[in-house]
Amino acid sequence: FPSHDTAIATIISRRPAVFQTNWAIRTESGRLSFYFGTGVTWRIHTTATAIITLNEWQYVVATYDGSTVRMFRNGVEVYSAAETAIPWTGAGRVEIGRINEALPDRELWHGFLDEVRVSNIARSPAWIRASLHSGNDNLLTYGMEERLAIGGAFLLMQLATQ
């Protein structure tokens, strides 16, 4: 949920130190970008046009399977390019909403982020679409909440169905 456009805003990154990059997902004037470092250079992949809408929740994903970089917005592939560089695999700290703790005011995300996930495998387009739709609040609730006593504690149950 970006609240205003900035030249560069980081959604999530993994960087062990300033000027070393494992990877980053960012927006650049509305375009979605995926960067990863090889230890020598950065590999940069960016959508050709602005696809990020201000003041609207969006589901964005970047994947790399060793041969192709793909980016998705709301379950739809918006970018695909061949890539064979080997990402640098050094340890690093994950930063959400900024590029690096050493540069705390640089490339900040302005807006909200929710349900950020990182995986060590490239998810398929079908998995990405299913994940998008599983996060939608489409459950219909019926009945009342029930409280069951279990060992002196209470378990709160909500009955729901699709």
Side-chain angles (χ1 to χ4, degrees):
F1 193 98
S3 60
H4 67 276
D5 193 18
T6 58
I8 299 174
T10 302
I11 297 170
I12 185 170
S13 68
R14 183 171 178 217
R15 295 177 66 120
V18 182
F19 309 120
Q20 292 179 331
T21 303
N22 287 84
W23 49 262
I25 301 173
R26 311 182 324 176
T27 61
E28 299 182 16
S29 299
R31 297 177 300 151
L32 186 61
S33 296
F34 176 55
Y35 287 49
F36 72 85
T38 64
V40 177
T41 185
W42 289 26
R43 307 300 296 168
I44 302 169
H45 296 271
T46 304
T47 58
T49 60
I51 62 165
I52 302 299
T53 307
L54 294 178
N55 300 312
E56 180 181 309
W57 284 108
Q58 289 145 100
Y59 183 78
V60 297
V61 177
T63 67
Y64 178 58
D65 63 6
S67 64
T68 306
V69 168
R70 290 184 174 87
M71 289 185 278
F72 300 81
R73 179 185 174 271
N74 295 336
V76 176
E77 188 174 294
V78 294
Y79 179 91
S80 178
E83 177 64 74
T84 57
I86 299 171
W88 183 64
T89 57
R93 195 172 136 155
V94 173
E95 297 283 343
I96 298 174
R98 66 182 183 176
I99 194 67
N100 190 302
E101 75 279 358
L103 303 168
D105 297 328
R106 194 166 159 211
E107 302 177 16
L108 294 177
W109 179 259
H110 297 280
F112 299 102
L113 295 169
D114 189 25
E115 298 188 31
V116 176
R117 289 186 262 175
V118 177
S119 178
N120 64 355
I121 63 171
R123 302 295 185 176
S124 71
W127 188 95
I128 291 166
R129 283 189 301 278
S131 181
L132 165 68
H133 294 298
S134 71
N136 293 340
D137 187 11
N138 58 0
L139 296 177
L140 300 175
T141 303
Y142 63 91
M144 296 183 57
E145 293 178 353
E146 297 179 9
R147 293 180 185 258
L148 302 176
I150 300 177
F154 287 95
L155 172 66
L156 181 64
M157 290 179 47
Q158 183 77 31
L159 302 176
T161 185
Q162 287 189 346

